[in-house]
Structures are given as C-alpha cells and as structure tokens.
Amino acid sequence: MLIGIIYKILLLFPLIKSFYLGRKYSFSAQNYLFVYFLITFMNEWLSFTRDQCNPDVKVGLQYNLYFIFCIVFFYFYYSLLFKGIIKKIALLSTVLSLGYIFFCTHFLENDFDKRIGITITLFYIMNAMLWFYQKISFFDEHKITNDPVFWISTALLMWSCFFIFRVTPMFFFAENDNEFLQFLKVGQNIINIMMYSMFYIALIKYERQSTL
C-alpha cells in the first residue's frame, strides 16, 4: 500500500517538470511527454480512488483503454525520431498491436485482458530496440546518456521485462498464490518508481538541450 502511494505521489514530479518545460520552451521540444504524464497521473489516481471507495470495483476496462492510449502515444513519440525503414517497421508494429487488441482481445470488458498487457510490453520492447539500433547505426560524437530518448527507451525496456513476468501468470497466482501476487504488485510499484525516475532524468536532458 505505502509503496503504491509513494509511486503515485512521485508521478507529480515528471508531470510538473514537463508542464514547466512546456510552458518555458514548448511541449513539442519534449515530444509532448506532458500529455503522457497527465493521462498517466489521472489514470493512476482514478484507479487508486476507486479502489479506496470500493475495493471490489474492477478497473480492467480503465487499464485496457489506458494501454491502448500508451501504444498510440509512443508511436507518435518515436515516429518523430525514426527515419526510413525503421519508421515503417514502427508503424507496422503499431498497426499489428492495435489490430490485435481491437480484434482479438476483450478490451471493452470490465476485466483486464492480460493479452493487452503482453502486447504493450512487446510494443515497448520493439520500439525501444529500434531506437537503440538507429542510434548505434548513426553514431555521433555525443554521449548516448545525454540523449533524453536513451532514458525513455531504457525505462520502457526495464518496465516491460518485469511487467511481462508479472502479467503472464497473474490470474494463476490470483487463484493459487495471492501472497506472491501481492509481492509482484509491490515489485511492480518499485519498477514504476525507477521508470519514472528515468523519465524525470530524460526531462532534465530535454531541458539542457533547450538551453543550448
């Protein structure tokens, strides 16, 4: 419980930072990350509030739709960075991901569909690896860690590797080992904190780029 609250409070930091940078420079300078942070913050606090009011309420539909938003957002985020064949591969992965969700999952039902969770992890991994491939292929003299997208892509890879481990056996543990499922939820919140800490570092890198 406590680690989950800490995570949701920490979401305020990248949200405020991205808003500040957007007003000071432009939201496009950070590839509109503010939109992602705003929707994520609203989604997490809405889920938390609903859970506190009624622990039995199902938020599956909410997260199904949120993950669809994430796929759409990060397609546009990376599409501003990708070039040539890599951009076409990213578009294909987006079309396949959304097509699979819309036609092969129950994304409009109240229960969370774990197939959507698996799909978004594969989508994140694909796009993050495509970015790393492009960055290495077109090497320049700048340190890769000075690139804000390095931190975004690393965060998405880290989150995806843990989340796919958590979501795949989720319903099995819910029925057979709820204690271990709660342990995984705590672990997920820790990963979320690390992820958004990396996102905050990315915003700092965007700020430095804007001042050059």
Side-chain angles (χ1 to χ4, degrees):
M1 171 67 77
L2 179 60
I3 192 71
I5 295 176
I6 292 174
Y7 153 60
K8 291 171 177 61
I9 293 175
L10 287 178
L11 274 175
L12 266 174
F13 289 88
L15 175 62
I16 294 173
K17 182 72 171 180
S18 61
F19 179 75
Y20 166 76
L21 293 179
R23 292 296 301 270
K24 186 176 182 180
Y25 302 105
S26 71
F27 290 102
S28 61
Q30 51 178 293
N31 284 14
Y32 302 98
L33 277 173
F34 171 73
V35 176
Y36 171 76
F37 291 131
L38 179 62
I39 298 298
T40 300
F41 181 82
M42 293 171 59
N43 176 71
E44 294 292 358
W45 277 100
L46 176 60
S47 174
F48 177 75
T49 303
R50 292 174 66 186
D51 184 60
Q52 294 304 303
C53 295
N54 182 6
D56 295 325
V57 68
K58 293 183 178 181
V59 295
L61 174 60
Q62 177 182 323
Y63 277 93
N64 289 340
L65 297 178
Y66 170 70
F67 283 150
I68 292 173
F69 157 77
C70 290
I71 290 175
V72 173
F73 175 83
F74 278 104
Y75 163 69
F76 284 106
Y77 177 86
Y78 279 109
S79 69
L80 298 174
L81 306 167
F82 289 153
K83 302 174 182 177
I85 188 64
I86 295 179
K87 191 168 187 175
K88 294 178 181 178
I89 295 174
L91 174 59
L92 178 61
S93 73
T94 304
V95 171
L96 292 176
S97 297
L98 293 177
Y100 176 75
I101 291 173
F102 291 147
F103 296 109
C104 301
T105 70
H106 305 296
F107 69 96
L108 291 178
E109 293 190 1
N110 288 327
D111 291 321
F112 176 68
D113 193 324
K114 69 177 184 180
R115 291 173 295 181
I116 297 176
I118 296 172
T119 301
I120 194 171
T121 60
L122 297 177
F123 173 83
Y124 280 168
I125 292 170
M126 169 68 76
N127 282 270
M129 293 306 295
L130 284 174
W131 181 82
F132 276 108
Y133 174 79
Q134 176 175 273
K135 185 69 175 179
I136 294 171
S137 297
F138 300 95
F139 180 77
D140 55 39
E141 70 278 8
H142 302 291
K143 290 178 60 177
I144 192 172
T145 53
N146 288 334
D147 193 324
V149 189
F150 166 82
W151 296 98
I152 298 293
S153 298
T154 302
L156 293 179
L157 278 174
M158 178 192 66
W159 182 89
S160 298
C161 291
F162 185 89
F163 189 73
I164 199 169
F165 169 72
R166 178 197 169 195
V167 75
T168 304
M170 180 174 62
F171 295 109
F172 171 81
F173 288 133
E175 295 179 1
N176 298 280
D177 195 343
N178 190 63
E179 184 176 342
F180 186 67
L181 180 64
Q182 294 306 312
F183 172 77
L184 289 178
K185 291 179 74 172
V186 172
Q188 184 67 63
N189 282 319
I190 294 173
I191 293 296
N192 289 343
I193 290 172
M194 295 172 62
M195 173 184 181
Y196 285 102
S197 296
M198 290 184 186
F199 276 22
Y200 191 86
I201 295 173
L203 291 172
I204 294 175
K205 301 298 182 181
Y206 275 121
E207 183 175 23
R208 290 177 180 174
Q209 284 186 351
S210 299
T211 57
L212 294 178

